[in-house]
Amino acid sequence: MKPSVKAFLLVALVFLIGAALGTGATLLYMKTHPRSFRVLFFQAPPQTSDLIREEFTRRLRLDPEQERKLLDIWDRYSKRFQAIEDEFKDALRTELEQMREEMAPYLTPEQREFLLERLTRPPRHPLPPPPAPR
């Protein structure tokens, strides 16, 4: 066998081993850390609001006075939106727990375990993020 073929096969083998190990490690992490995985990939990073503010300011070509007034309003409403979102999450969590407790007496232990796991894991096909403003 030619040395170039041996080198190619060796590189291909190393690549396949790396891909298999990377895939296995990712799947293991997803299974053992479902909440952190969901936060990492399906929730907006904390600085998103700042990025939106910057684009808002740049695209509207605000003068300093407009920027100050509008960003004060933006900040006030952002805090209110966050409070609404937190309240909604708490209410949803409470309702899911009540539903699970109401269903539990009618299920076997295995079915209860499946229901608990299903209600706490992230969806398989989350909605895509909205398109970026143009």
Side-chain angles (χ1 to χ4, degrees):
M1 195 179 308
K2 293 183 181 180
S4 60
V5 173
K6 285 182 181 179
F8 173 79
L9 291 176
L10 181 62
V11 168
L13 179 64
V14 168
F15 174 80
L16 290 174
I17 290 171
L21 288 174
T23 300
T26 301
L27 292 174
L28 178 64
Y29 181 81
M30 287 170 49
K31 188 173 186 170
T32 57
H33 299 83
R35 288 188 186 275
S36 61
F37 181 79
R38 180 174 51 199
V39 167
L40 183 63
F41 288 102
F42 301 120
Q43 291 183 355
Q47 69 273 16
T48 299
S49 179
D50 294 333
L51 296 173
I52 293 170
R53 283 175 50 162
E54 288 173 18
E55 184 174 12
F56 178 72
T57 302
R58 183 177 44 82
R59 292 223 177 189
L60 293 177
R61 297 183 183 129
L62 302 174
D63 65 42
E65 181 63 20
Q66 288 177 310
E67 182 178 352
R68 186 182 61 76
K69 288 181 179 182
L70 293 176
L71 292 181
D72 285 346
I73 295 169
W74 177 275
D75 289 339
R76 189 176 67 230
Y77 276 90
S78 291
K79 291 173 187 169
R80 292 170 64 182
F81 293 152
Q82 185 62 49
I84 291 169
E85 183 180 355
D86 293 343
E87 185 179 312
F88 171 77
K89 285 179 181 178
D90 291 341
L92 182 60
R93 194 174 299 115
T94 300
E95 291 297 317
L96 282 171
E97 180 62 27
Q98 287 176 345
M99 181 180 74
R100 189 178 66 79
E101 287 175 7
E102 197 172 322
M103 291 176 158
Y106 304 103
L107 301 172
T108 66
E110 294 82 18
Q111 291 168 328
R112 276 187 227 128
E113 185 178 325
F114 173 80
L115 180 65
L116 175 63
E117 189 269 331
R118 182 64 182 100
L119 291 177
T120 56
R121 74 175 177 188
R124 288 183 187 201
H125 304 288
L127 294 175
R134 295 183 182 206

